[in-house]
Amino acid sequence: MKRLTPSLLLHILLLVLAVGTLAPLVWMLSASFMATGEANSIPPRWFPAHPTLDHYRVLFTRLDVTRYLWNSTAVALTTTFCSLLITSMAGYAFAKVRFRGRDRTFKLLLAALVVPSQVGMLPLFLLLQKLGMVNNLWGVVIPGVASIYGIFLIRQYALGVPDDLLDAARIDGAGEFEIFWTIVLPILKPILVTQALFTFLGSWNDFLWPLIVLSDDRRYTLPLALANLVGEHVQDTELMMAGAVITVLPVLLVFLVLQRFYIRGVLMGSLKG
Amino acid sequence: MMPSTRRQERAGWAFVTPGLILIGVFFALPVVVGLLLSFTDFDLYAIGDPSTVRFVALGNYVQVLKNPEFWHALRNTFFFVAVGGPLSVAASLGAAMLLNQPLVKARAVFRVVFFAPVVTTLVAVAIVWRYLYHPRYGLIDHVLGAIGVPPIDWLGDPHFAMGAIILLAVWKNFGYNMLIFIAGLQSIPEELYEAADLDGAGAWQRFVHVTLPGLGPTFLFVGIMTMIGNFQLFSEPYVMTQGGPLRSTTTVVLQMYEEGFRWWRIGTATSIAFVLFAIMLAGTLLQMRMQKEHES
Amino acid sequence: MLSCSGSRWAVVLLAAALLAACGCAKPAGQGGVTLRMWAMGREGEVVGELLTDFEREHPGVHVDVQQIPWSAAHEKLLTAHVGRSTPDVAQLGNSWIPEFAALNAVEPLDPFLAASNTTPKSGFFPGIWETNVVDSVTYGLPWYVDTRVLFYRKDLLKQAGYDAMPTTWAEWRRSMERIKAQVGPDRFAIFLPLNEWNPPFVLAASAGSNILSADGTRGAFQTPEFRKAFDFYLDLFSDRLAPPINDNGIANLYQEFERGYFSMYITGPWNIGEFRRRLAPESQDKWATAPMPGPDGAATGLSMAGGSSLVVFRGSKHKPESWLLLEYLARPQVQARFYRLTGDLPARQESWSDSALVADPAILAFGEQLRRVAPAPRVPEWEQITRKIIERVETVVLGGANRDSALAGLDRDANRILEKRHWLVERARTKGASR
């Protein structure tokens, strides 16, 4: 075993770990192309004998997956857009705009982070019902828009905006909103992308809240539709895998393209700790 | 000379008010209402006819704490937190240490691979793993069988079901904390390692005396965030086992969901939520205290 | 850079998102009405076929059917009610009618019935009609009746020495033992999925148990009658006559029946159609149906007065059209056609003279059983109580719990669940008494 240099051992370990990490996702993809019943064979198969697109066809035609894709996209994009607007304004203000009570309010918000979201879920549902937002995609979007964590993230980054730049603009007579829109936002762009990414992924993957709010299956988002599908088609392994692929692929792609920003966000969130 | 502060005052509040209103209406208000509801027996009857509501003060809390089902759910949750948490942290730390080695090639590729499960939709992967865990058709038992382990009914056996969920949770989340650990590892000054080397310390001793203490704040952060997340375990048992078998994977949040959204016992459900909150708060404070003591 | 092109993109995306968020509804006919209907299980899959004729008869009315799995139906219906997003019409298991009536969720149908000349009360099975009436108000129209009987392997029973299904519990038990002796340790005599409450309920009803007492406000699980049924049921597992599994412990029910993994199964009329469709042609003469045996003979063999009803929700904005839909689905010919599609037994007595029904030997057992049925306790909390029954059974069969403590626990569970109802009933009684 003299050949087993530390480097080789290290890379073997990493490879084993990588294979183990990817295996479930690879099987998911592979099973989605298998013929019906093939995924339930003994011994289990890794790859389809004759790959088929049947299940995807069924999902997109009979099972209306396009609609769920559209719902998920609409909800995620709307939430992201509204959230960006609101959290960027608030995050910047908490960092760079001098107003009384600013730091106390911010500390209060941070304290609120400790409260888990489930505590208010039932009353929130009843509240939305009074406002007519139940069974409605807005009922899914609105509660997710003002994210305290998002405000914290943006404030953290905004602290790095040079004060002299802002003060100079103020002396020149620029309005606060103008300063925000024309000077600050461009500087914040990297963290905005990160925040948008977090919000988009969080919204796309959200399950419990849409489960509670949406009863009409035409309004379902993908995770809901998928869970519903399991209730009826649990024996149809291959079909379920195709559904899982459709749900997971968009976020994986978004992540792959924008991973730099996502990773930055993860690290920034941990800086305070 | 200070630019007009009155303008900044107005602007500042204007900027934060939309967010504050949304947070106030859609977060703070429900929490307060939830607290109030937890002192009543608000339920289905009350939804149809509000005059049937009774004020029960701490009655719900007493009922919850006397209910053996709640303790079962709490035990399940604690098991997940106490076993799954450290396992997840250890896996993340291990992966981080591997990736942090200077000899590693294609580091970015490995990093993406390890992180991929984090961004996947939980419901989707829970369904995939449900099939992977099947005692006859699933790959996991097949692979275990190849090394001589008899097939385990992971999701059907009360002794293994929570373990199955822990494995899924570790797989799904280790990439996230791995990133944080890498950053933490990189912040440990090289000189400390060199000094340890000079003192004749071996790899293990370097790990225990330089790495671990150096990661102190990171451990605290990762520990608290992981614990908070783990206490809220819901989607995996909901999708994979519906809280079974024999309620061995029923967590506190799942029980709250059942009481609240299945049976509409809103008074009971909100009190469960607040008990959970109190426990999480205690856990967080405990971790922070332990860290402080450890550091001194 | 959040430049001009960036913000333009953002506006486009937001507009698109808003459009989708407002929920594009399917267009109804010119100025027409779209009825939303929720249906479960097999009925949900099939009802659409019946509706094309309905829409032809009523141009301008379009029916949108949403299929819901039974496992999620109760929850979704309740959530929809609380969220004020109920459909116009829904299929409701008739054991849920008391619950939805207590919630004021469903519209009383008496005014519509009075004005109708095609849907008389007398056209329906009386026992089934009663399950739709709460405090003299009719809340649902029976859609199909459901009761549970034994589906069994004629050939395996014959091999065990029986030409017909026994009618007493003792004999029935013996036949199962003989079958088990024939098929060996890896196969079973009867399949009783642990997540179904109907088999233990049916046995309890046959043994004379009322399940609940004191006007449905207290559990009665420790009575001798319930204990007798409980023991009979649990012994089937402990003596390895039934496999200790759920309905998802079997990959394919029909395959396993064909393979002789089990020879008996307590289930409902929809499985007549399923058995015919999914079992091989050469297996079709190997199975038959028989009414439930009773502890003391055929007359004591009770089963469920089950079935589904159609209801109109109070929140519906199209009640007259919804009623038209209910009436249509209650027509004898439509009921007969529905039977042909699903195997569900018509609630309308007239439809039983349909040729398909009359000629079907598998139906005989159901017709006979329908004369000996008992409804589930008519309390709003029934669904929650059934869960507890299932859980307690599991603790004994799978967890090795003691039967006495399981039944005592079940009584405690039921009392806790029914506590509010108990208080309300007491309050109403004292109010009435003080008058």
Side-chain angles (χ1 to χ4, degrees):
Chain A
M1 290 286 255
K2 279 267 177 70
R3 291 290 185 120
L4 214 62
T5 64
S7 170
L8 194 58
L9 188 59
L10 178 65
H11 284 92
I12 290 179
L13 268 173
L14 279 174
L15 256 151
V16 166
L17 204 55
V19 164
T21 307
L22 283 183
L25 298 174
V26 166
W27 186 78
M28 171 183 78
L29 189 64
S30 168
S32 73
F33 293 119
M34 288 185 190
T36 309
E38 203 183 334
N40 283 348
S41 34
I42 304 176
R45 308 180 52 97
W46 277 98
F47 295 108
H50 305 285
T52 165
L53 283 177
D54 273 347
H55 310 293
Y56 290 96
R57 242 193 297 269
V58 165
L59 279 172
F60 277 102
T61 54
R62 195 159 54 89
L63 293 175
D64 225 3
V65 140
T66 332
R67 182 196 295 276
Y68 307 131
L69 256 174
W70 181 236
N71 288 340
S72 274
T73 314
V75 166
L77 283 179
T78 312
T79 311
T80 304
F81 185 81
C82 298
S83 177
L84 265 185
L85 208 58
I86 294 196
T87 54
S88 63
M89 286 204 318
Y92 160 67
F94 278 121
K96 288 291 163 183
V97 179
R98 303 172 196 99
F99 58 98
R100 249 183 337 200
R102 179 185 76 177
D103 290 327
R104 246 179 334 176
T105 313
F106 185 67
K107 282 217 177 64
L108 199 61
L109 281 184
L110 275 191
L113 269 179
V114 189
V115 182
S117 56
Q118 295 86 11
V119 165
M121 250 173 199
L122 268 159
L124 182 58
F125 179 78
L126 295 174
L127 172 68
L128 288 186
Q129 179 239 311
K130 293 262 182 301
L131 295 175
M133 292 206 296
V134 166
N135 198 33
N136 181 317
L137 290 179
W138 284 111
V140 181
V141 168
I142 301 277
V145 165
S147 149
I148 300 180
Y149 189 73
I151 296 179
F152 162 72
L153 211 60
I154 294 191
R155 174 183 179 273
Q156 197 77 347
Y157 195 88
L159 283 174
V161 173
D163 281 308
D164 349 320
L165 197 61
L166 301 174
D167 286 336
R170 285 179 186 126
I171 292 174
D172 278 347
E176 287 298 323
F177 191 77
E178 200 186 327
I179 295 178
F180 171 70
W181 193 260
T182 54
I183 300 182
V184 178
L185 275 185
I187 300 181
L188 289 182
K189 185 187 148 227
I191 199 67
L192 290 181
V193 176
T194 304
Q195 162 69 345
L197 200 51
F198 271 20
T199 313
F200 185 86
L201 289 181
S203 172
W204 185 277
N205 290 341
D206 197 9
F207 179 61
L208 178 53
W209 184 244
L211 178 69
I212 291 169
V213 170
L214 300 172
S215 54
D216 196 345
D217 70 349
R218 280 172 314 168
R219 308 246 166 86
Y220 278 0
T221 54
L222 271 176
L224 243 57
L226 202 58
N228 203 33
L229 219 55
V230 172
E232 305 200 24
H233 297 268
V234 68
Q235 314 223 4
D236 258 320
T237 315
E238 303 76 18
L239 183 69
M240 296 308 314
M241 291 303 102
V245 169
I246 295 178
T247 310
V248 162
L249 207 56
V251 284
L252 263 180
L253 288 175
V254 167
F255 165 69
L256 281 175
V257 168
L258 295 170
Q259 47 173 289
R260 217 173 9 117
F261 296 95
Y262 192 91
I263 289 171
R264 175 213 305 267
V266 169
L267 294 178
M268 281 210 64
S270 69
L271 272 184
K272 256 264 169 134
Chain B
M1 187 181 74
M2 189 62 99
S4 158
T5 46
R6 199 140 42 111
R7 204 174 57 184
Q8 277 197 52
E9 283 278 338
R10 274 205 317 259
W13 281 111
F15 276 36
V16 301
T17 303
L20 286 181
I21 289 183
L22 282 176
I23 292 175
V25 171
F26 294 102
F27 178 73
L29 184 61
V31 169
V32 169
V33 171
L35 189 60
L36 293 175
L37 284 177
S38 75
F39 298 134
T40 71
D41 74 346
F42 200 86
D43 60 7
L44 265 185
Y45 287 114
I47 291 179
D49 175 8
S51 77
T52 61
V53 171
R54 290 177 291 178
F55 177 73
V56 294
L58 293 176
N60 286 332
Y61 290 95
V62 169
Q63 280 299 320
V64 165
L65 293 174
K66 280 200 324 201
N67 188 354
E69 274 181 25
F70 170 74
W71 290 103
H72 193 181
L74 196 58
R75 273 200 309 276
N76 293 338
T77 313
F78 267 143
F79 182 73
F80 185 76
V81 168
V83 174
L87 217 61
S88 176
V89 170
S92 309
L93 181 58
M97 293 194 64
L98 280 181
L99 262 195
N100 202 37
Q101 298 295 321
L103 299 169
V104 172
K105 302 201 183 73
R107 179 171 300 148
V109 172
F110 279 114
R111 198 176 55 181
V112 166
V113 165
F114 294 148
F115 200 81
V118 175
V119 298
T120 54
T121 313
L122 182 54
V123 172
V125 298
I127 293 174
V128 174
W129 278 74
R130 190 168 143 168
Y131 288 109
L132 290 176
Y133 276 132
H134 197 285
R136 280 198 289 173
Y137 309 130
L139 278 172
I140 293 185
D141 274 344
H142 181 63
V143 167
L144 284 178
I147 56 176
V149 177
I152 302 175
D153 187 5
W154 291 94
L155 299 178
D157 188 331
H159 298 109
F160 286 102
M162 194 47 115
I165 292 187
I166 288 179
L167 188 59
L168 166 59
V170 169
W171 172 83
K172 181 141 198 332
N173 292 313
F174 83 97
Y176 191 91
N177 289 326
M178 176 191 78
L179 283 187
I180 300 182
F181 273 125
I182 290 180
L185 283 172
Q186 287 176 346
S187 74
I188 300 178
E190 265 302 305
E191 301 89 63
L192 290 178
Y193 284 112
E194 285 165 14
D197 254 341
L198 286 177
D199 282 346
W204 177 252
Q205 283 165 320
R206 278 205 306 274
F207 177 69
V208 169
H209 293 289
V210 180
T211 312
L212 284 186
L215 286 178
T218 319
F219 267 121
L220 182 64
F221 179 79
V222 167
I224 291 182
M225 298 303 284
T226 309
M227 183 195 74
I228 289 181
N230 285 351
F231 264 118
Q232 299 177 32
L233 183 65
F234 169 77
S235 299
E236 292 94 323
Y238 181 86
V239 167
M240 295 172 88
T241 56
Q242 279 288 312
L246 285 188
R247 296 191 79 79
S248 60
T249 56
T250 303
T251 58
V252 177
V253 176
L254 186 57
Q255 196 189 22
M256 185 207 81
Y257 175 83
E258 282 178 2
E259 287 287 321
F261 287 104
R262 193 166 283 162
W263 311 120
W264 292 96
R265 302 176 142 244
I266 296 182
T268 312
T270 43
S271 57
I272 293 178
F274 276 98
V275 170
L276 178 67
F277 171 42
I279 294 178
M280 280 168 54
L281 197 56
T284 308
L285 293 175
L286 190 68
Q287 276 210 22
M288 288 170 68
R289 168 90 58 88
M290 275 168 58
Q291 186 74 11
K292 245 186 235 152
E293 283 180 11
H294 196 255
E295 273 167 9
S296 61
Chain C
M1 190 104 33
L2 216 62
S3 61
C4 263
S5 71
S7 40
R8 213 178 294 149
W9 261 116
V11 170
V12 165
L13 285 171
L14 183 62
L18 278 172
L19 262 176
C22 293
C24 355
K26 256 210 194 91
Q30 263 69 341
V33 162
T34 300
L35 293 178
R36 291 169 55 225
M37 175 178 182
W38 285 9
M40 283 79 96
R42 177 112 185 90
E43 293 81 40
E45 286 175 35
V46 146
V47 72
E49 292 183 40
L50 297 175
L51 293 176
T52 36
D53 283 340
F54 173 76
E55 288 177 348
R56 209 176 301 141
E57 260 181 56
H58 301 272
V61 180
H62 173 70
V63 184
D64 202 0
V65 177
Q66 178 168 335
Q67 281 181 51
I68 308 198
W70 274 108
S71 52
H74 185 259
E75 198 174 313
K76 285 187 60 92
L77 283 163
L78 277 184
T79 308
H81 168 65
V82 176
R84 301 241 195 285
S85 54
T86 47
D88 297 285
V89 171
Q91 170 188 4
L92 224 58
N94 63 0
S95 57
W96 297 345
I97 299 260
E99 187 176 4
F100 285 82
L103 289 175
N104 275 328
V106 287
E107 184 76 11
L109 298 176
D110 298 293
F112 295 107
L113 284 165
S116 158
N117 47 15
T118 61
T119 316
K121 167 175 163 180
S122 54
F124 297 85
F125 286 97
I128 300 296
W129 184 270
E130 278 314 301
T131 61
N132 289 282
V133 176
V134 179
D135 289 337
S136 315
V137 179
T138 317
Y139 287 102
L141 196 63
W143 193 16
Y144 65 86
V145 301
D146 171 15
T147 189
R148 305 291 161 99
V149 302
L150 277 167
F151 282 60
Y152 66 101
R153 289 284 300 268
K154 277 193 305 196
D155 54 336
L156 291 177
L157 191 63
K158 185 137 191 176
Q159 266 178 36
Y162 289 84
D163 281 326
M165 179 64 70
T167 53
T168 62
W169 278 12
E171 220 30 67
W172 182 29
R173 168 81 206 207
R174 221 165 297 153
S175 72
M176 286 195 271
E177 286 164 4
R178 297 242 192 97
I179 290 182
K180 174 78 179 181
Q182 301 255 340
V183 297
D186 293 327
R187 295 196 282 173
F188 298 88
I190 184 169
F191 180 41
L192 296 166
L194 284 171
N195 57 320
E196 279 185 15
W197 58 272
N198 315 80
F201 172 78
V202 159
L203 294 173
S206 300
S209 157
N210 289 323
I211 316 279
L212 301 178
S213 65
D215 197 11
T217 62
R218 287 263 183 270
F221 292 103
Q222 298 184 83
T223 57
E225 294 85 4
F226 190 82
R227 184 61 195 251
K228 179 168 166 184
F230 197 57
D231 280 334
F232 183 83
Y233 179 67
L234 291 177
D235 285 340
L236 295 172
F237 293 99
S238 55
D239 296 334
R240 309 278 303 159
L241 296 170
I245 54 181
N246 274 347
D247 62 2
N248 56 11
I250 277 198
N252 188 325
L253 167 76
Y254 307 97
Q255 247 177 2
E256 302 295 348
F257 184 70
E258 220 167 357
R259 289 185 196 152
Y261 183 67
F262 58 91
S263 306
M264 300 184 193
Y265 183 43
I266 301 178
T267 183
W270 71 90
N271 262 324
I272 299 181
E274 295 286 337
F275 274 43
R276 296 237 167 86
R277 265 189 327 148
R278 293 175 186 254
L279 296 181
E282 55 269 17
S283 306
Q284 289 301 331
D285 63 346
K286 294 205 190 124
W287 66 274
T289 56
M292 294 298 304
D296 306 309
T300 52
L302 296 184
S303 188
M304 296 175 42
S308 287
S309 305
L310 292 167
V311 297
V312 178
F313 280 94
R314 267 198 215 259
S316 165
K317 300 202 174 51
H318 308 294
K319 293 190 183 130
E321 292 87 351
S322 301
W323 171 251
L324 289 176
L325 180 57
L326 261 60
E327 256 195 335
Y328 172 78
L329 289 170
R331 278 190 211 159
Q333 320 93 293
V334 179
Q335 290 254 307
R337 199 170 144 216
F338 188 57
Y339 157 74
R340 285 169 202 258
L341 285 172
T342 58
D344 286 337
L345 301 175
R348 202 68 189 264
Q349 301 194 55
E350 228 179 287
S351 314
W352 283 70
S353 51
D354 178 84
S355 55
L357 263 161
V358 165
D360 192 338
I363 292 278
L364 286 175
F366 285 96
E368 213 194 303
Q369 189 72 72
L370 278 169
R371 285 188 258 147
R372 296 189 299 266
V373 288
R378 324 233 8 261
V379 296
E381 296 86 350
W382 176 241
E383 190 65 26
Q384 194 173 2
I385 294 178
T386 62
R387 296 283 172 118
K388 291 295 170 229
I389 296 177
I390 291 172
E391 280 172 19
R392 292 287 175 183
V393 162
E394 279 182 346
T395 59
V396 175
V397 175
L398 297 176
N402 170 277
R403 289 184 195 187
D404 292 318
S405 60
L407 286 178
L410 201 44
D411 260 346
R412 274 197 311 270
D413 292 336
N415 290 342
R416 188 173 52 87
I417 292 171
L418 291 167
E419 194 272 323
K420 180 86 179 249
R421 177 176 161 82
H422 182 81
W423 176 73
L424 286 171
V425 165
E426 281 301 307
R427 191 175 77 156
R429 178 130 43 96
T430 48
K431 239 189 243 171
S434 62
R435 208 138 307 147

